[in-house]
Amino acid sequence: MVYNLHITTDEAGALLELSDSLADQLEGVVEAFNHTIHPAGGYRIYETFHLDADGFVLEGIPFHTGHKIAHALRGASSLAVVSITLGEDISRLIEQYNKEFDFITAYWLDKLSNWALEQLMRLLKQELREEVAKDHLKITSHWGPGYCGWDLKEQEKLLPLSGADQWGITLSSSMLMRPVKSMSGVVGIGDQVIYKESGCGDCRLPNCAYRSLKW
């Protein structure tokens, strides 16, 4: 699904903690940002999976998430595999500003992208929440490779289950997603699950592309 997502100059200024004196300069950056991101994503729900103390098995594929994520999925009777992206253009724009040594603009765009990615995940989870609520079910938050010690290499097994190819998401040899501003994960579904927001405090991934997010 393609999403309509944008940020105002006032919202961007607050997010970046900028003074009003930079409003004129920021306005052009925000306009370019809103025209360059192409938010898209989706999920696939799997009605049958096996959850144990340290991971789960989905479509016959074992995933070793570690105890913390397995515990967060406790009570789930089905599993949604999700993927989202802002598209490749915003990454190219950030790279362009870095090459031109305009590191401030590149930083602003990078932080705005991380904000947008998190908002996009929230929108996706809200859609999923509303869908499963029809059957009186609830959802957990999202958890993905890189969180809580879940090996990033398992991204290779997880991403195809989300239908990420529809949004042009691929993996590099180091298991990083392309476009860079993309995310994937799993969301538990059930009538006994508990929603606990996931965040940077749950992740041990060094040099994370999204570390500047405000959680």
Side-chain angles (χ1 to χ4, degrees), residues 129-150:
R129 181 182 287 112
E130 292 173 359
E131 179 178 342
V132 303
K134 298 172 185 177
D135 297 317
H136 308 289
L137 300 174
K138 299 177 292 183
I139 67 170
T140 70
S141 189
H142 65 283
W143 307 88
Y147 286 64
C148 306
W150 187 357

Side-chain angles (χ1 to χ4, degrees), residues 84-87 90-91 94 109-111 113-114 117 177 179-183 209-210:
I84 58 172
T85 186
L86 298 182
I90 187 62
S91 295
I94 293 171
L109 288 171
D110 184 72
K111 196 158 187 176
S113 297
N114 293 342
L117 202 58
M177 282 182 283
V180 172
K181 298 304 181 183
S182 302
M183 292 177 68
Y210 316 111

Side-chain angles (χ1 to χ4, degrees), residues 46-49 73-79 137 188-191 193:
Y46 294 85
E47 300 293 343
T48 303
F49 81 111
L73 296 173
R74 187 176 57 177
S77 55
S78 56
L79 202 65
L137 300 174
I189 303 168
D191 59 1
V193 300

Side-chain angles (χ1 to χ4, degrees), residues 10-18 107 110-119 122 197-201 209-215:
D10 287 343
E11 289 171 334
L15 178 71
L16 298 169
E17 301 177 341
L18 302 180
Y107 170 76
D110 184 72
K111 196 158 187 176
L112 293 178
S113 297
N114 293 342
W115 170 88
L117 202 58
E118 181 60 20
Q119 296 308 306
R122 292 184 189 277
E197 192 67 72
S198 53
C200 285
Y210 316 111
R211 184 60 65 180
S212 63
L213 282 168
K214 287 187 175 181
W215 296 92

Side-chain angles (χ1 to χ4, degrees), residues 18-30:
L18 302 180
S19 64
D20 293 340
S21 63
L22 293 172
D24 290 342
Q25 182 179 349
L26 182 60
E27 185 174 356
V29 174
V30 168

Side-chain angles (χ1 to χ4, degrees), residues 3 21 36 42 44 62 64 94 97 107 172 175-176 183 189:
Y3 293 83
S21 63
T36 306
R44 288 180 178 174
H64 307 286
I94 293 171
Y97 279 109
Y107 170 76
S172 70
M175 297 298 109
L176 295 178
M183 292 177 68
I189 303 168

